[in-house]
């Protein structure tokens, strides 16, 4: 079943993460704001992956002195969509 989520991340440069999943597979991820090239690359790398695999890989990644990062916020968004 296809699900869509518009997630508002906290503590990072990007201000929105749009996610589309189908069952437990990530179909599309788009970041608004942040480091464009890196986030486009991240979006391409996770497309077609299982939600749980991406959460496991990205959860807890930090950006410099921050307690979170865009990948960590993507993991949080995927947790939300998984539990909805």
């Amino acid at each position: 079943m296809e699900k869509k989520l518009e997630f508002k991340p906290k503590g990072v440069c990007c201000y929105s993460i749009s996610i589309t999943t189908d069952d437990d597979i990530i179909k599309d991820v788009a970041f608004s704001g942040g480091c464009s090239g890196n986030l486009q690359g991240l979006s391409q790398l996770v497309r077609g992956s299982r939600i749980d695999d991406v959460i496991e890989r990205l959860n807890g990644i930090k950006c410099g002195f921050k307690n979170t990062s865009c990948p960590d916020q993507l993991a949080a968004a995927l947790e939300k969509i998984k539990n909805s």
Side-chain angles (χ1 to χ4, degrees), residues 68-81:
T68 190
S69 65
C70 291
D72 182 57
Q73 289 296 295
L74 175 56
L78 291 170
E79 283 281 357
K80 185 172 182 176
I81 205 166

Side-chain angles (χ1 to χ4, degrees), residues 1-68:
M1 179 168 139
E2 187 172 281
K3 293 182 183 180
K4 294 185 179 194
L5 174 69
E6 198 64 36
F7 185 79
K8 301 296 179 199
K10 294 181 173 80
V12 295
C13 298
C14 73
Y15 54 85
S16 180
I17 306 172
S18 301
I19 304 169
T20 304
T21 62
D22 193 2
D23 292 323
D24 69 337
I25 303 297
I26 299 166
K27 290 180 66 178
D28 190 50
V29 175
F31 291 85
S32 297
C35 304
S36 181
N38 290 334
L39 296 176
Q40 287 179 60
L42 177 59
S43 297
Q44 292 294 322
L45 289 170
V46 301
R47 189 173 290 141
S49 298
R50 291 182 59 246
I51 291 172
D52 287 335
D53 293 340
V54 173
I55 291 170
E56 183 179 328
R57 290 182 192 139
L58 301 182
N59 190 41
I61 292 176
K62 296 181 180 180
C63 183
F65 61 88
K66 298 177 184 177
N67 288 328
T68 190

